[in-house]
Short mmCIF file of all heavy atoms in Angstrom, two decimals:
data_model
loop_
_atom_site.label_atom_id
_atom_site.label_comp_id
_atom_site.label_asym_id
_atom_site.label_seq_id
_atom_site.Cartn_x
_atom_site.Cartn_y
_atom_site.Cartn_z
N GLY A 246 6.34 -17.63 7.56
CA GLY A 246 7.68 -18.11 7.32
C GLY A 246 8.62 -17.18 6.60
O GLY A 246 9.79 -17.57 6.33
N LEU A 247 8.21 -15.97 6.30
CA LEU A 247 9.10 -15.02 5.65
C LEU A 247 9.97 -14.29 6.66
O LEU A 247 9.65 -14.25 7.86
CB LEU A 247 8.28 -14.01 4.84
CG LEU A 247 7.42 -14.61 3.71
CD1 LEU A 247 6.69 -13.50 2.97
CD2 LEU A 247 8.22 -15.44 2.76
N THR A 248 11.07 -13.71 6.21
CA THR A 248 12.00 -13.03 7.13
C THR A 248 11.55 -11.59 7.41
O THR A 248 10.66 -11.06 6.73
CB THR A 248 13.40 -12.99 6.50
OG1 THR A 248 13.38 -12.15 5.33
CG2 THR A 248 13.85 -14.37 6.10
N LYS A 249 12.21 -10.98 8.38
CA LYS A 249 11.90 -9.59 8.72
C LYS A 249 12.20 -8.66 7.55
O LYS A 249 11.46 -7.70 7.31
CB LYS A 249 12.72 -9.15 9.94
CG LYS A 249 12.34 -9.85 11.23
CD LYS A 249 13.21 -9.37 12.38
CE LYS A 249 12.89 -10.09 13.69
NZ LYS A 249 13.77 -9.66 14.78
N PHE A 250 13.26 -8.95 6.81
CA PHE A 250 13.62 -8.11 5.67
C PHE A 250 12.57 -8.25 4.56
O PHE A 250 12.21 -7.28 3.90
CB PHE A 250 15.00 -8.46 5.17
CG PHE A 250 16.11 -7.95 6.03
CD1 PHE A 250 16.68 -8.76 7.02
CD2 PHE A 250 16.59 -6.65 5.91
CE1 PHE A 250 17.69 -8.28 7.84
CE2 PHE A 250 17.59 -6.16 6.72
CZ PHE A 250 18.15 -6.98 7.68
N GLN A 251 12.09 -9.49 4.34
CA GLN A 251 11.04 -9.68 3.32
C GLN A 251 9.76 -8.99 3.76
O GLN A 251 9.05 -8.38 2.94
CB GLN A 251 10.79 -11.17 3.12
CG GLN A 251 11.91 -11.88 2.35
CD GLN A 251 11.65 -13.38 2.28
OE1 GLN A 251 11.32 -14.02 3.26
NE2 GLN A 251 11.82 -13.95 1.10
N ALA A 252 9.46 -9.08 5.06
CA ALA A 252 8.25 -8.39 5.59
C ALA A 252 8.37 -6.89 5.41
O ALA A 252 7.40 -6.22 5.02
CB ALA A 252 8.07 -8.74 7.05
N GLY A 253 9.56 -6.37 5.65
CA GLY A 253 9.79 -4.94 5.45
C GLY A 253 9.63 -4.53 4.00
O GLY A 253 9.05 -3.48 3.69
N GLN A 254 10.10 -5.37 3.09
CA GLN A 254 9.96 -5.10 1.66
C GLN A 254 8.47 -5.07 1.26
O GLN A 254 8.03 -4.20 0.49
CB GLN A 254 10.68 -6.15 0.85
CG GLN A 254 12.21 -6.06 0.94
CD GLN A 254 12.88 -7.28 0.27
OE1 GLN A 254 12.25 -8.27 -0.03
NE2 GLN A 254 14.19 -7.16 0.06
N ILE A 255 7.71 -6.04 1.77
CA ILE A 255 6.28 -6.14 1.43
C ILE A 255 5.53 -4.91 1.95
O ILE A 255 4.73 -4.30 1.22
CB ILE A 255 5.68 -7.43 2.01
CG1 ILE A 255 6.26 -8.65 1.28
CG2 ILE A 255 4.16 -7.44 1.90
CD1 ILE A 255 5.95 -9.98 1.94
N MET A 256 5.81 -4.53 3.19
CA MET A 256 5.13 -3.36 3.75
C MET A 256 5.57 -2.07 3.05
O MET A 256 4.81 -1.13 2.92
CB MET A 256 5.40 -3.27 5.24
CG MET A 256 4.91 -4.47 6.07
SD MET A 256 3.13 -4.75 5.94
CE MET A 256 2.51 -3.37 6.91
N ALA A 257 6.83 -2.05 2.58
CA ALA A 257 7.33 -0.90 1.86
C ALA A 257 6.58 -0.69 0.54
O ALA A 257 6.38 0.46 0.10
CB ALA A 257 8.81 -1.00 1.60
N VAL A 258 6.19 -1.79 -0.11
CA VAL A 258 5.42 -1.70 -1.34
C VAL A 258 4.12 -0.95 -1.08
O VAL A 258 3.71 -0.06 -1.85
CB VAL A 258 5.13 -3.10 -1.92
CG1 VAL A 258 4.09 -3.01 -3.04
CG2 VAL A 258 6.40 -3.73 -2.43
N CYS A 259 3.47 -1.27 0.04
CA CYS A 259 2.23 -0.58 0.42
C CYS A 259 2.52 0.91 0.65
O CYS A 259 1.75 1.77 0.21
CB CYS A 259 1.64 -1.20 1.67
SG CYS A 259 0.16 -0.39 2.30
N GLY A 260 3.63 1.20 1.29
CA GLY A 260 3.99 2.60 1.57
C GLY A 260 4.21 3.40 0.32
O GLY A 260 3.71 4.52 0.18
N VAL A 261 4.93 2.83 -0.64
CA VAL A 261 5.22 3.50 -1.92
C VAL A 261 3.91 3.79 -2.66
O VAL A 261 3.68 4.91 -3.14
CB VAL A 261 6.17 2.67 -2.78
CG1 VAL A 261 6.27 3.28 -4.18
CG2 VAL A 261 7.54 2.58 -2.14
N MET A 262 3.05 2.78 -2.76
CA MET A 262 1.80 2.96 -3.47
C MET A 262 0.88 3.95 -2.76
O MET A 262 0.11 4.68 -3.41
CB MET A 262 1.10 1.62 -3.66
CG MET A 262 1.85 0.64 -4.55
SD MET A 262 2.36 1.39 -6.13
CE MET A 262 0.79 1.89 -6.79
N SER A 263 0.92 3.96 -1.44
CA SER A 263 0.10 4.92 -0.67
C SER A 263 0.50 6.35 -0.97
O SER A 263 -0.35 7.23 -1.04
CB SER A 263 0.23 4.64 0.82
OG SER A 263 -0.26 3.38 1.15
N ILE A 264 1.79 6.57 -1.17
CA ILE A 264 2.27 7.93 -1.48
C ILE A 264 1.71 8.39 -2.83
O ILE A 264 1.28 9.53 -2.99
CB ILE A 264 3.79 7.96 -1.49
CG1 ILE A 264 4.36 7.63 -0.11
CG2 ILE A 264 4.31 9.31 -1.97
CD1 ILE A 264 5.84 7.40 -0.09
N LEU A 265 1.69 7.47 -3.80
CA LEU A 265 1.27 7.82 -5.14
C LEU A 265 -0.26 7.84 -5.28
O LEU A 265 -0.80 8.63 -6.07
CB LEU A 265 1.85 6.82 -6.14
CG LEU A 265 3.37 6.71 -6.18
CD1 LEU A 265 3.80 5.58 -7.12
CD2 LEU A 265 3.99 8.03 -6.62
N SER A 266 -0.95 6.98 -4.54
CA SER A 266 -2.37 6.77 -4.80
C SER A 266 -3.24 7.96 -4.36
O SER A 266 -4.29 8.22 -4.98
CB SER A 266 -2.87 5.50 -4.14
OG SER A 266 -2.82 5.62 -2.72
N GLY A 267 -2.81 8.68 -3.32
CA GLY A 267 -3.63 9.81 -2.85
C GLY A 267 -3.84 10.87 -3.92
O GLY A 267 -4.96 11.15 -4.35
#
Side-chain angles (χ1 to χ4, degrees):
L247 299 182
T248 67
K249 293 179 182 178
F250 285 95
Q251 287 176 314
Q254 290 172 346
I255 292 169
M256 299 300 288
V258 169
C259 178
V261 171
M262 294 311 301
S263 297
I264 297 170
L265 301 175
S266 68

